[in-house]
Amino acid sequence: MKEIIAIVGWVAGIQGALGAAGRIFGDKPWGLLQRWWDIPTPAYLALFIVGAALAIWGETGKKRARSRA
C-alpha cells in the first residue's frame, strides 16, 4: 500500500511542480493536467506540496517496513 501512495505522491508532485513552473516561467502550464482543466497557480503549488508529502510518507513507510523484515 505504501508503494502505491508513494507513486501517487510522486506523480501529483511532479504535475504540481510542472504546472506551477509553466505558469511562472512560461506562457501556460506544463504537464498533463493542463490538457483537461484550467487550474490556477496556487492550486498547482498546493498539488505539489500534497504530492511531496505523500511521496515522503510513502517512501519512509517503505523504508520502515524493510528495516523491520
Side-chain angles (χ1 to χ4, degrees):
M1 184 67 173
K2 297 287 183 177
E3 294 87 9
I4 295 171
I5 291 172
I7 291 170
V8 168
W10 280 109
V11 170
I14 290 169
Q15 289 299 311
L18 286 173
R23 290 263 182 162
I24 294 169
F25 300 114
D27 293 339
K28 63 178 186 171
W30 304 324
L32 189 61
L33 293 178
Q34 58 94 15
R35 294 180 182 261
W36 298 315
W37 299 289
D38 185 27
I39 302 172
T41 305
Y44 275 120
L45 293 173
L47 184 64
F48 169 69
I49 292 169
V50 169
L54 284 175
I56 291 169
W57 185 55
E59 293 292 333
T60 55
K62 288 192 314 187
K63 287 181 184 178
R64 273 191 235 134
R66 283 187 207 135
S67 66
R68 289 183 195 161

